[in-house]
Amino acid sequence: MKEQKCYRKHRKWLLTRLQTSALMIRTLASSHSVSQNIPSSLWKLGRLNHVAIAVPDLEKAQSLYKDVLGAQVSEMVALPEHGVYTVFVELGNTKLELLHPLGEKSPITSFLQKNKTGGMHHICIEVDDINAAMAELKKKKIRILSEEPKIGAHGKPVIFLHPKDCHGVLVELEQA
């Protein structure tokens, strides 16, 4: 019963954060400075690809979504270039990405040190042109956490936007 209450509370918090983040991303994508003269049609946001959740126990998290909630859950995949193990949970209209640290320099390790029970790590939104998105976002002073796109868990180029520039949310953009 306590776990259900905690789950409902976390789900409500997560939905609120997602709605706020989606609004911020839409605003970011549609706004442009007249002085920069950048047409907003250079790139477009697509669908929400996934919500990533950092978990301290990957097997336990997999079991929750597969055995308790009945979702389709992928096998674990190691992504050493990102310092994570990933598991995807299919939800029909989007996915959850369960993240667990891989290696000592994993960004998930420091996240879990601050959030012992895990939690939402980032959201991933598809874009139709990641290079145009990078160029425009840099001109708008949105910090990107890498100089070039990296290949993400789906085998496509991805970038991450600094959470301080995105209202506290780490945003991943993925080439559609």
Side-chain angles (χ1 to χ4, degrees):
M1 187 69 167
K2 185 179 178 183
E3 286 181 8
Q4 263 187 336
K5 186 177 179 182
C6 183
Y7 171 75
R8 275 187 255 135
K9 185 179 177 182
H10 181 71
R11 193 171 100 189
K12 185 177 179 182
W13 173 86
L14 181 60
L15 287 173
T16 301
R17 291 289 298 246
L18 283 173
Q19 290 168 342
T20 303
S21 300
L23 178 60
M24 181 278 307
I25 293 295
R26 269 189 253 121
T27 301
L28 178 66
S30 64
S31 66
H32 73 278
S33 168
V34 174
S35 65
Q36 292 173 342
N37 234 359
I38 301 171
S40 60
S41 62
L42 287 179
W43 64 281
K44 291 183 181 166
L45 283 176
R47 69 182 190 94
L48 175 68
N49 184 284
H50 65 266
V51 175
I53 302 170
V55 297
D57 185 331
L58 192 52
E59 288 179 7
K60 194 173 179 181
Q62 277 179 291
S63 178
L64 168 69
Y65 289 101
K66 182 178 181 179
D67 302 330
V68 176
L69 299 175
Q72 181 180 347
V73 177
S74 75
E75 295 297 318
M76 179 180 62
V77 175
L79 296 174
E81 62 278 7
H82 293 278
V84 296
Y85 291 104
T86 64
V87 169
F88 282 94
V89 179
E90 293 292 331
L91 297 178
N93 61 340
T94 193
K95 296 179 281 294
L96 297 179
E97 179 184 33
L98 306 178
L99 299 171
H100 187 73
L102 170 62
E104 294 176 15
K105 295 183 179 181
S106 172
I108 303 305
T109 299
S110 62
F111 182 90
L112 288 173
Q113 287 171 348
K114 297 173 194 163
N115 306 277
K116 301 290 185 209
T117 59
M120 188 181 93
H121 185 263
H122 68 269
I123 63 170
C124 176
I125 302 172
E126 295 175 357
V127 295
D128 65 348
D129 186 338
I130 200 159
N131 292 316
M134 284 183 74
E136 184 174 349
L137 291 168
K138 283 180 182 178
K139 288 179 182 177
K140 290 182 177 183
K141 307 291 187 225
I142 302 296
R143 290 172 283 179
I144 299 170
L145 300 182
S146 61
E147 291 298 316
E148 296 293 326
K150 295 181 180 180
I151 300 302
H154 297 112
K156 297 178 179 182
V158 299
I159 59 171
F160 286 88
L161 308 181
H162 199 293
K164 289 185 178 177
D165 298 336
C166 299
H167 304 281
V169 177
L170 179 60
V171 176
E172 178 183 20
L173 299 180
E174 178 181 274
Q175 178 69 47

Short mmCIF file of all heavy atoms in Angstrom, two decimals, residues 112-166:
data_model
loop_
_atom_site.label_atom_id
_atom_site.label_comp_id
_atom_site.label_asym_id
_atom_site.label_seq_id
_atom_site.Cartn_x
_atom_site.Cartn_y
_atom_site.Cartn_z
N LEU A 112 22.58 9.37 -8.60
CA LEU A 112 22.07 8.47 -7.57
C LEU A 112 22.64 8.79 -6.19
O LEU A 112 22.00 8.50 -5.17
CB LEU A 112 22.34 7.01 -7.94
CG LEU A 112 21.49 6.47 -9.09
CD1 LEU A 112 21.96 5.08 -9.50
CD2 LEU A 112 20.01 6.47 -8.74
N GLN A 113 23.82 9.39 -6.12
CA GLN A 113 24.35 9.82 -4.83
C GLN A 113 23.48 10.92 -4.23
O GLN A 113 23.30 10.99 -3.02
CB GLN A 113 25.80 10.29 -4.97
CG GLN A 113 26.77 9.15 -5.17
CD GLN A 113 28.17 9.61 -5.53
OE1 GLN A 113 28.41 10.78 -5.85
NE2 GLN A 113 29.12 8.69 -5.50
N LYS A 114 22.91 11.76 -5.09
CA LYS A 114 22.04 12.84 -4.63
C LYS A 114 20.59 12.37 -4.47
O LYS A 114 19.82 12.98 -3.73
CB LYS A 114 22.07 14.00 -5.64
CG LYS A 114 23.42 14.65 -5.78
CD LYS A 114 23.42 15.65 -6.91
CE LYS A 114 24.83 16.04 -7.27
NZ LYS A 114 24.90 16.68 -8.58
N ASN A 115 20.21 11.34 -5.20
CA ASN A 115 18.83 10.82 -5.22
C ASN A 115 18.90 9.31 -4.97
O ASN A 115 18.85 8.53 -5.93
CB ASN A 115 18.16 11.10 -6.56
CG ASN A 115 18.20 12.56 -6.94
OD1 ASN A 115 17.38 13.33 -6.50
ND2 ASN A 115 19.19 12.95 -7.74
N LYS A 116 19.03 8.91 -3.74
CA LYS A 116 19.31 7.52 -3.37
C LYS A 116 18.32 6.51 -3.95
O LYS A 116 18.70 5.39 -4.27
CB LYS A 116 19.33 7.36 -1.84
CG LYS A 116 20.37 8.22 -1.15
CD LYS A 116 21.76 7.74 -1.43
CE LYS A 116 22.76 8.56 -0.63
NZ LYS A 116 24.04 8.66 -1.24
N THR A 117 17.05 6.88 -4.06
CA THR A 117 16.06 5.94 -4.58
C THR A 117 15.86 6.06 -6.09
O THR A 117 15.02 5.38 -6.66
CB THR A 117 14.69 6.12 -3.88
OG1 THR A 117 14.24 7.46 -4.10
CG2 THR A 117 14.80 5.85 -2.39
N GLY A 118 16.63 6.93 -6.74
CA GLY A 118 16.50 7.14 -8.18
C GLY A 118 15.51 8.25 -8.47
O GLY A 118 15.04 8.95 -7.58
N GLY A 119 15.17 8.41 -9.74
CA GLY A 119 14.22 9.43 -10.13
C GLY A 119 14.38 9.82 -11.59
O GLY A 119 15.24 9.29 -12.30
N MET A 120 13.54 10.77 -12.02
CA MET A 120 13.61 11.22 -13.40
C MET A 120 14.96 11.87 -13.67
O MET A 120 15.38 12.77 -12.95
CB MET A 120 12.50 12.22 -13.70
CG MET A 120 12.43 12.55 -15.18
SD MET A 120 11.16 13.74 -15.61
CE MET A 120 12.11 15.24 -15.53
N HIS A 121 15.63 11.40 -14.71
CA HIS A 121 16.94 11.93 -15.06
C HIS A 121 16.85 12.93 -16.21
O HIS A 121 17.43 14.01 -16.15
CB HIS A 121 17.89 10.79 -15.44
CG HIS A 121 19.28 11.23 -15.70
ND1 HIS A 121 19.74 11.45 -16.97
CD2 HIS A 121 20.29 11.52 -14.86
CE1 HIS A 121 21.00 11.85 -16.91
NE2 HIS A 121 21.37 11.90 -15.64
N HIS A 122 16.15 12.57 -17.28
CA HIS A 122 16.00 13.49 -18.42
C HIS A 122 14.79 13.11 -19.26
O HIS A 122 14.22 12.04 -19.09
CB HIS A 122 17.27 13.53 -19.29
CG HIS A 122 17.56 12.26 -20.04
ND1 HIS A 122 18.35 11.25 -19.53
CD2 HIS A 122 17.17 11.83 -21.27
CE1 HIS A 122 18.44 10.27 -20.43
NE2 HIS A 122 17.72 10.59 -21.49
N ILE A 123 14.44 14.02 -20.16
CA ILE A 123 13.44 13.71 -21.18
C ILE A 123 14.14 13.77 -22.53
O ILE A 123 15.12 14.49 -22.71
CB ILE A 123 12.24 14.69 -21.14
CG1 ILE A 123 12.67 16.12 -21.45
CG2 ILE A 123 11.53 14.61 -19.80
CD1 ILE A 123 11.50 17.07 -21.67
N CYS A 124 13.64 12.99 -23.47
CA CYS A 124 14.21 12.96 -24.81
C CYS A 124 13.13 13.30 -25.83
O CYS A 124 12.07 12.67 -25.85
CB CYS A 124 14.78 11.57 -25.11
SG CYS A 124 15.42 11.41 -26.80
N ILE A 125 13.43 14.31 -26.64
CA ILE A 125 12.50 14.76 -27.67
C ILE A 125 13.20 14.65 -29.03
O ILE A 125 14.36 15.02 -29.17
CB ILE A 125 12.07 16.22 -27.42
CG1 ILE A 125 11.42 16.33 -26.03
CG2 ILE A 125 11.13 16.70 -28.51
CD1 ILE A 125 11.15 17.74 -25.59
N GLU A 126 12.47 14.14 -29.99
CA GLU A 126 13.03 14.00 -31.34
C GLU A 126 13.05 15.34 -32.06
O GLU A 126 12.17 16.18 -31.84
CB GLU A 126 12.21 12.99 -32.14
CG GLU A 126 12.27 11.59 -31.57
CD GLU A 126 11.37 10.61 -32.30
OE1 GLU A 126 10.63 11.00 -33.23
OE2 GLU A 126 11.39 9.43 -31.91
N VAL A 127 14.06 15.53 -32.90
CA VAL A 127 14.14 16.71 -33.77
C VAL A 127 14.40 16.23 -35.19
O VAL A 127 15.00 15.18 -35.39
CB VAL A 127 15.24 17.71 -33.33
CG1 VAL A 127 14.93 18.31 -31.98
CG2 VAL A 127 16.61 17.06 -33.32
N ASP A 128 13.96 17.02 -36.17
CA ASP A 128 14.15 16.60 -37.55
C ASP A 128 15.54 16.94 -38.10
O ASP A 128 15.95 16.36 -39.10
CB ASP A 128 13.05 17.18 -38.45
CG ASP A 128 13.09 18.70 -38.55
OD1 ASP A 128 13.80 19.34 -37.76
OD2 ASP A 128 12.38 19.24 -39.42
N ASP A 129 16.27 17.85 -37.46
CA ASP A 129 17.62 18.20 -37.91
C ASP A 129 18.45 18.61 -36.70
O ASP A 129 18.42 19.76 -36.27
CB ASP A 129 17.55 19.35 -38.92
CG ASP A 129 18.90 19.69 -39.55
OD1 ASP A 129 19.96 19.36 -38.95
OD2 ASP A 129 18.90 20.28 -40.64
N ILE A 130 19.19 17.67 -36.17
CA ILE A 130 19.93 17.92 -34.92
C ILE A 130 21.02 18.96 -35.10
O ILE A 130 21.29 19.76 -34.20
CB ILE A 130 20.47 16.61 -34.32
CG1 ILE A 130 20.78 16.82 -32.83
CG2 ILE A 130 21.67 16.08 -35.09
CD1 ILE A 130 20.82 15.58 -32.02
N ASN A 131 21.64 19.01 -36.27
CA ASN A 131 22.71 19.99 -36.49
C ASN A 131 22.15 21.41 -36.55
O ASN A 131 22.73 22.34 -35.99
CB ASN A 131 23.51 19.65 -37.75
CG ASN A 131 24.30 18.36 -37.56
OD1 ASN A 131 24.93 18.16 -36.52
ND2 ASN A 131 24.26 17.49 -38.54
N ALA A 132 21.02 21.60 -37.22
CA ALA A 132 20.38 22.92 -37.26
C ALA A 132 19.90 23.31 -35.85
O ALA A 132 20.03 24.47 -35.45
CB ALA A 132 19.22 22.91 -38.24
N ALA A 133 19.39 22.33 -35.11
CA ALA A 133 18.95 22.60 -33.73
C ALA A 133 20.13 23.07 -32.89
O ALA A 133 20.03 24.05 -32.14
CB ALA A 133 18.32 21.36 -33.12
N MET A 134 21.27 22.40 -33.01
CA MET A 134 22.47 22.79 -32.26
C MET A 134 22.88 24.22 -32.59
O MET A 134 23.14 25.02 -31.69
CB MET A 134 23.65 21.85 -32.55
CG MET A 134 23.57 20.52 -31.88
SD MET A 134 25.03 19.51 -32.19
CE MET A 134 26.24 20.34 -31.16
N ALA A 135 22.94 24.53 -33.86
CA ALA A 135 23.38 25.86 -34.29
C ALA A 135 22.45 26.94 -33.75
O ALA A 135 22.90 27.95 -33.20
CB ALA A 135 23.45 25.91 -35.82
N GLU A 136 21.14 26.73 -33.87
CA GLU A 136 20.18 27.73 -33.41
C GLU A 136 20.20 27.86 -31.89
O GLU A 136 20.17 28.96 -31.35
CB GLU A 136 18.77 27.40 -33.89
CG GLU A 136 17.77 28.47 -33.52
CD GLU A 136 16.40 28.24 -34.10
OE1 GLU A 136 16.23 27.37 -34.97
OE2 GLU A 136 15.48 28.94 -33.66
N LEU A 137 20.27 26.74 -31.19
CA LEU A 137 20.26 26.79 -29.73
C LEU A 137 21.52 27.47 -29.19
O LEU A 137 21.45 28.22 -28.21
CB LEU A 137 20.10 25.38 -29.15
CG LEU A 137 18.72 24.77 -29.38
CD1 LEU A 137 18.73 23.29 -29.04
CD2 LEU A 137 17.65 25.52 -28.60
N LYS A 138 22.66 27.24 -29.83
CA LYS A 138 23.90 27.93 -29.42
C LYS A 138 23.75 29.44 -29.60
O LYS A 138 24.16 30.21 -28.73
CB LYS A 138 25.09 27.41 -30.23
CG LYS A 138 25.60 26.07 -29.77
CD LYS A 138 26.79 25.62 -30.61
CE LYS A 138 27.27 24.25 -30.19
NZ LYS A 138 28.40 23.78 -31.02
N LYS A 139 23.14 29.86 -30.70
CA LYS A 139 22.93 31.29 -30.93
C LYS A 139 21.98 31.88 -29.91
O LYS A 139 22.06 33.07 -29.60
CB LYS A 139 22.41 31.53 -32.35
CG LYS A 139 23.47 31.32 -33.40
CD LYS A 139 22.94 31.56 -34.79
CE LYS A 139 24.05 31.28 -35.80
NZ LYS A 139 23.58 31.43 -37.18
N LYS A 140 21.09 31.06 -29.38
CA LYS A 140 20.15 31.52 -28.36
C LYS A 140 20.71 31.34 -26.94
O LYS A 140 19.98 31.48 -25.97
CB LYS A 140 18.83 30.75 -28.49
CG LYS A 140 18.06 31.12 -29.74
CD LYS A 140 16.75 30.37 -29.82
CE LYS A 140 15.98 30.83 -31.04
NZ LYS A 140 14.67 30.18 -31.11
N LYS A 141 22.01 31.04 -26.87
CA LYS A 141 22.72 30.92 -25.59
C LYS A 141 22.21 29.76 -24.73
O LYS A 141 22.28 29.81 -23.50
CB LYS A 141 22.66 32.22 -24.78
CG LYS A 141 23.12 33.44 -25.54
CD LYS A 141 24.59 33.39 -25.80
CE LYS A 141 25.05 34.70 -26.40
NZ LYS A 141 25.93 34.57 -27.50
N ILE A 142 21.72 28.70 -25.37
CA ILE A 142 21.37 27.48 -24.66
C ILE A 142 22.61 26.59 -24.69
O ILE A 142 23.12 26.26 -25.76
CB ILE A 142 20.17 26.75 -25.32
CG1 ILE A 142 18.95 27.67 -25.38
CG2 ILE A 142 19.86 25.44 -24.59
CD1 ILE A 142 18.39 28.09 -24.05
N ARG A 143 23.08 26.23 -23.51
CA ARG A 143 24.30 25.42 -23.43
C ARG A 143 24.02 23.97 -23.81
O ARG A 143 23.05 23.37 -23.36
CB ARG A 143 24.91 25.48 -22.03
CG ARG A 143 25.51 26.85 -21.74
CD ARG A 143 25.93 26.95 -20.31
NE ARG A 143 24.72 27.16 -19.50
CZ ARG A 143 24.72 27.29 -18.19
NH1 ARG A 143 25.84 27.19 -17.51
NH2 ARG A 143 23.59 27.49 -17.54
N ILE A 144 24.91 23.44 -24.65
CA ILE A 144 24.85 22.04 -25.08
C ILE A 144 26.03 21.34 -24.41
O ILE A 144 27.14 21.86 -24.39
CB ILE A 144 24.91 21.95 -26.61
CG1 ILE A 144 23.70 22.69 -27.20
CG2 ILE A 144 24.95 20.49 -27.06
CD1 ILE A 144 23.74 22.89 -28.68
N LEU A 145 25.79 20.16 -23.85
CA LEU A 145 26.79 19.51 -23.00
C LEU A 145 27.88 18.77 -23.76
O LEU A 145 28.72 18.13 -23.15
CB LEU A 145 26.09 18.57 -22.01
CG LEU A 145 25.10 19.27 -21.06
CD1 LEU A 145 24.50 18.27 -20.08
CD2 LEU A 145 25.77 20.41 -20.32
N SER A 146 27.87 18.84 -25.09
CA SER A 146 28.96 18.26 -25.89
C SER A 146 29.15 19.13 -27.13
O SER A 146 28.23 19.83 -27.55
CB SER A 146 28.63 16.82 -26.29
OG SER A 146 27.47 16.79 -27.08
N GLU A 147 30.34 19.08 -27.68
CA GLU A 147 30.63 19.87 -28.88
C GLU A 147 29.94 19.31 -30.12
O GLU A 147 29.55 20.04 -31.01
CB GLU A 147 32.14 19.94 -29.12
CG GLU A 147 32.89 20.77 -28.08
CD GLU A 147 32.44 22.23 -28.07
OE1 GLU A 147 32.30 22.83 -29.14
OE2 GLU A 147 32.22 22.76 -26.96
N GLU A 148 29.82 18.00 -30.16
CA GLU A 148 29.21 17.31 -31.30
C GLU A 148 28.19 16.31 -30.80
O GLU A 148 28.30 15.83 -29.67
CB GLU A 148 30.29 16.55 -32.10
CG GLU A 148 31.34 17.45 -32.75
CD GLU A 148 30.77 18.32 -33.86
OE1 GLU A 148 29.85 17.86 -34.57
OE2 GLU A 148 31.22 19.46 -34.00
N PRO A 149 27.22 15.95 -31.64
CA PRO A 149 26.28 14.90 -31.23
C PRO A 149 27.02 13.58 -31.00
O PRO A 149 28.03 13.30 -31.65
CB PRO A 149 25.33 14.78 -32.42
CG PRO A 149 25.46 16.06 -33.17
CD PRO A 149 26.88 16.51 -32.94
N LYS A 150 26.51 12.79 -30.07
CA LYS A 150 27.02 11.44 -29.82
C LYS A 150 25.94 10.47 -30.27
O LYS A 150 24.78 10.83 -30.38
CB LYS A 150 27.30 11.24 -28.33
CG LYS A 150 28.42 12.11 -27.80
CD LYS A 150 28.65 11.84 -26.33
CE LYS A 150 29.78 12.72 -25.81
NZ LYS A 150 30.03 12.49 -24.39
N ILE A 151 26.33 9.24 -30.49
CA ILE A 151 25.35 8.22 -30.86
C ILE A 151 24.69 7.72 -29.58
O ILE A 151 25.37 7.29 -28.64
CB ILE A 151 26.00 7.06 -31.65
CG1 ILE A 151 26.63 7.60 -32.95
CG2 ILE A 151 24.97 5.97 -31.96
CD1 ILE A 151 25.66 8.32 -33.88
N GLY A 152 23.36 7.78 -29.55
CA GLY A 152 22.59 7.41 -28.36
C GLY A 152 22.16 5.96 -28.37
O GLY A 152 22.56 5.16 -29.22
N ALA A 153 21.30 5.63 -27.43
CA ALA A 153 20.85 4.26 -27.22
C ALA A 153 20.07 3.68 -28.41
O ALA A 153 20.01 2.48 -28.57
CB ALA A 153 19.97 4.18 -25.97
N HIS A 154 19.49 4.54 -29.24
CA HIS A 154 18.75 4.08 -30.41
C HIS A 154 19.60 4.08 -31.68
O HIS A 154 19.08 3.91 -32.78
CB HIS A 154 17.50 4.96 -30.63
CG HIS A 154 16.53 4.90 -29.51
ND1 HIS A 154 16.29 5.98 -28.68
CD2 HIS A 154 15.76 3.89 -29.06
CE1 HIS A 154 15.39 5.63 -27.78
NE2 HIS A 154 15.06 4.37 -27.97
N GLY A 155 20.91 4.33 -31.52
CA GLY A 155 21.80 4.34 -32.68
C GLY A 155 21.70 5.62 -33.50
O GLY A 155 22.14 5.66 -34.65
N LYS A 156 21.13 6.68 -32.92
CA LYS A 156 20.95 7.95 -33.63
C LYS A 156 21.71 9.05 -32.89
O LYS A 156 21.93 8.95 -31.68
CB LYS A 156 19.47 8.30 -33.69
CG LYS A 156 18.64 7.30 -34.47
CD LYS A 156 17.19 7.69 -34.44
CE LYS A 156 16.34 6.71 -35.23
NZ LYS A 156 14.93 7.12 -35.23
N PRO A 157 22.09 10.12 -33.60
CA PRO A 157 22.78 11.24 -32.93
C PRO A 157 21.90 11.91 -31.87
O PRO A 157 20.71 12.12 -32.09
CB PRO A 157 23.08 12.21 -34.07
CG PRO A 157 22.96 11.41 -35.32
CD PRO A 157 21.96 10.33 -35.04
N VAL A 158 22.54 12.23 -30.73
CA VAL A 158 21.84 12.90 -29.63
C VAL A 158 22.72 14.00 -29.06
O VAL A 158 23.95 13.97 -29.18
CB VAL A 158 21.46 11.93 -28.48
CG1 VAL A 158 20.52 10.85 -28.98
CG2 VAL A 158 22.68 11.34 -27.81
N ILE A 159 22.06 15.00 -28.45
CA ILE A 159 22.74 16.03 -27.67
C ILE A 159 21.93 16.24 -26.39
O ILE A 159 20.74 15.90 -26.34
CB ILE A 159 22.88 17.37 -28.43
CG1 ILE A 159 21.50 17.92 -28.84
CG2 ILE A 159 23.81 17.23 -29.62
CD1 ILE A 159 21.52 19.34 -29.39
N PHE A 160 22.58 16.80 -25.39
CA PHE A 160 21.91 17.13 -24.14
C PHE A 160 22.01 18.63 -23.91
O PHE A 160 23.08 19.22 -24.10
CB PHE A 160 22.54 16.38 -22.96
CG PHE A 160 22.18 14.92 -22.93
CD1 PHE A 160 22.96 14.00 -23.63
CD2 PHE A 160 21.08 14.47 -22.22
CE1 PHE A 160 22.62 12.66 -23.61
CE2 PHE A 160 20.75 13.14 -22.19
CZ PHE A 160 21.51 12.22 -22.89
N LEU A 161 20.91 19.23 -23.48
CA LEU A 161 20.86 20.66 -23.17
C LEU A 161 21.01 20.83 -21.66
O LEU A 161 20.44 20.07 -20.88
CB LEU A 161 19.53 21.27 -23.63
CG LEU A 161 19.14 21.00 -25.09
CD1 LEU A 161 17.82 21.69 -25.41
CD2 LEU A 161 20.24 21.43 -26.04
N HIS A 162 21.76 21.85 -21.27
CA HIS A 162 22.05 22.08 -19.86
C HIS A 162 20.75 22.32 -19.09
O HIS A 162 19.93 23.16 -19.50
CB HIS A 162 22.98 23.27 -19.69
CG HIS A 162 23.67 23.30 -18.38
ND1 HIS A 162 23.00 23.51 -17.19
CD2 HIS A 162 24.98 23.12 -18.07
CE1 HIS A 162 23.86 23.48 -16.20
NE2 HIS A 162 25.07 23.23 -16.70
N PRO A 163 20.56 21.62 -17.97
CA PRO A 163 19.31 21.80 -17.21
C PRO A 163 19.11 23.23 -16.69
O PRO A 163 17.97 23.68 -16.56
CB PRO A 163 19.42 20.80 -16.06
CG PRO A 163 20.78 20.25 -16.10
CD PRO A 163 21.41 20.62 -17.40
N LYS A 164 20.18 23.95 -16.43
CA LYS A 164 20.02 25.33 -15.94
C LYS A 164 19.43 26.24 -17.00
O LYS A 164 18.89 27.29 -16.69
CB LYS A 164 21.35 25.87 -15.44
CG LYS A 164 21.78 25.22 -14.13
CD LYS A 164 23.04 25.84 -13.58
CE LYS A 164 23.40 25.18 -12.26
NZ LYS A 164 24.65 25.68 -11.71
N ASP A 165 19.54 25.85 -18.26
CA ASP A 165 18.95 26.62 -19.35
C ASP A 165 17.57 26.11 -19.73
O ASP A 165 16.91 26.68 -20.61
CB ASP A 165 19.86 26.58 -20.59
CG ASP A 165 21.22 27.19 -20.33
OD1 ASP A 165 21.34 28.03 -19.41
OD2 ASP A 165 22.19 26.84 -21.04
N CYS A 166 17.13 25.04 -19.10
CA CYS A 166 15.86 24.39 -19.44
C CYS A 166 14.98 24.19 -18.21
O CYS A 166 14.36 23.14 -18.04
CB CYS A 166 16.13 23.05 -20.13
SG CYS A 166 17.07 23.21 -21.67
#
